[in-house]
Amino acid sequence: MTRDGIDLDAVLGARVALRHRIGERDGRPLFTDAVGTLSDGGGGTVVVETRKGAVRVPREAVVAVRAVPPAPPRRASWSAVTRLESLCADAWPALVDRPLGAWRLRAADGFTGRANSCLAVGDPGMPVTDALAAVQEFAAAHEGVPPRVQTPIGSPWSTAVQRAGWVLDRGHDAGAEVAVLVADLTLLTGADGRVPVSLTDRASSTWWEFSEGAEPTPAQRHVLDPGPGGPPTVFGLAGPEPLGAVRGALVEDHLHLSRLSTSPAARRTGVGTALTAAAARWALARGAKWAVLQVALHNTGTRTFYERLGCTEHHRYHYLTPAPAASPRPSPHA
């Protein structure tokens, strides 16, 4: 309790707006406010963790305090989004990856939307309508590649593509909208070790069988296990049966996680956590600091799993395709 009867202990751990005295001027007290999470600072003080840093306040200087709602999440800058999208594309290398200014035209015989779409971030170096015409020409020249653009939701590039008449690709099986999640790698290393995990730098036949269900096609092998020409990659298998699998690729200071799967009998037994932790430790030992993964919005189970481990949403992207041609109206004289 403060001497004014304010119960600071009742709001410890909450986000608060706290008013406190900071001195006098011309015999009149001066006050200021701090907004952030409140904790006990010891020695008769409290600490408010504001966005600009910690503010330590003597308890006796507090004149008012109230709990306030959580701060709205800050949107990542478009430069940060651009970098992260580029890292994810490097971690998922397409068979063909051709620059179109800052855009990337990609093809991989139809294996995954990411590797068979144009990544539209930055300046394509030409009017957007001309760039989209180039996307369509590229798609027509590569089997299994539809005219499709992958671009961050709400970005200026998405706005420009939609103004040119392209629409959400609702026919995309993997989901037209995707969340990009990030985490401090140290948050993902907390498995208790009860589930053994083996890691290899090349995908074994057992990994391919469990993860993909068959021997890989050339496109699958290039995207998932490109070898010396691609990013450093790790493949994890849990248990001797096996019980689960995961892929990790190291791109600069990020570990890109993908292909996490567990057998139905092993779900909710810690297999996914153990696989994630093993990949995270592998990346930490090689200088990585962050994890990144891409999860379709409709895949709520995987999103919830990673959020429990400490992952947060950085941004979202969606796939856009040319609007279907309008059906001609029947002639009234037919």
Side-chain angles (χ1 to χ4, degrees):
M1 300 285 287
T2 72
R3 67 184 183 185
D4 299 316
I6 300 170
D7 192 354
L8 290 169
D9 293 329
V11 287
L12 290 177
R15 184 169 183 265
V16 301
L18 182 143
R19 173 158 291 194
H20 59 103
R21 292 185 299 275
I22 56 173
E24 292 186 356
R25 179 181 296 167
D26 299 329
R28 302 180 63 180
L30 298 177
F31 303 95
T32 191
D33 297 306
V35 178
T37 303
L38 185 69
S39 63
D40 182 27
T45 68
V46 290
V47 175
V48 184
E49 293 289 345
T50 73
R51 281 185 168 177
K52 294 183 178 180
V55 177
R56 186 176 295 273
V57 181
R59 284 178 174 252
E60 63 180 14
V62 178
V63 298
V65 64
R66 62 184 176 87
V68 296
R74 290 182 173 181
R75 180 184 64 79
S77 68
W78 291 125
S79 61
V81 170
T82 296
R83 176 176 184 255
L84 199 56
E85 284 291 334
S86 297
L87 292 179
C88 289
D90 291 342
W92 201 256
L95 276 168
V96 180
D97 193 332
R98 184 181 303 166
L100 182 66
W103 292 15
R104 296 168 68 162
L105 300 167
R106 299 171 297 176
D109 291 343
F111 176 64
T112 74
R114 281 171 283 173
N116 293 275
S117 61
C118 173
L119 177 60
V121 292
D123 183 3
M126 61 185 72
V128 169
T129 51
D130 292 344
L132 294 175
V135 172
Q136 290 180 292
E137 291 174 5
F138 178 84
H142 292 84
E143 185 177 354
V145 181
R148 178 189 291 146
V149 164
Q150 175 193 333
T151 188
I153 294 175
S155 69
W157 319 295
S158 173
T159 299
V161 171
Q162 290 182 82
R163 283 177 177 168
W166 288 41
V167 297
L168 190 67
D169 183 8
R170 298 191 181 279
H172 184 42
D173 291 340
E177 297 185 348
V178 178
V180 179
L181 308 181
V182 294
D184 184 320
L185 265 181
T186 59
L187 296 177
L188 307 184
T189 60
D192 59 15
R194 289 181 296 176
V195 180
V197 174
S198 60
L199 299 178
T200 57
D201 60 1
R202 298 304 301 267
S204 66
S205 58
T206 303
W207 189 93
W208 284 116
E209 180 65 29
F210 185 90
S211 178
E212 307 303 309
E215 283 295 311
T217 66
Q220 283 177 301
R221 185 173 292 281
H222 182 89
V223 172
L224 297 178
D225 190 9
T233 309
V234 68
F235 300 88
L237 283 171
E241 286 77 4
L243 301 173
V246 73
R247 173 189 184 265
L250 191 61
V251 280
E252 296 185 15
D253 55 353
H254 281 66
L255 169 68
H256 181 272
L257 287 165
S258 63
R259 268 12 208 189
L260 178 67
S261 58
T262 60
S263 64
R267 288 171 187 164
R268 300 185 183 276
T269 62
V271 169
T273 302
L275 285 162
T276 302
R281 288 191 290 267
W282 172 88
L284 280 169
R286 288 158 179 77
K289 297 180 179 178
W290 311 99
V292 60
L293 52 143
Q294 299 155 292
V295 185
L297 288 187
H298 65 67
N299 191 351
T300 55
T302 298
R303 288 169 56 204
T304 299
F305 167 76
Y306 277 114
E307 286 166 1
R308 283 201 304 266
L309 295 183
C311 296
T312 58
E313 185 175 302
H314 187 271
H315 67 277
R316 296 179 179 183
Y317 65 80
H318 54 188
Y319 292 99
L320 303 174
T321 57
S327 301
R329 293 183 179 180
S331 167
H333 307 292

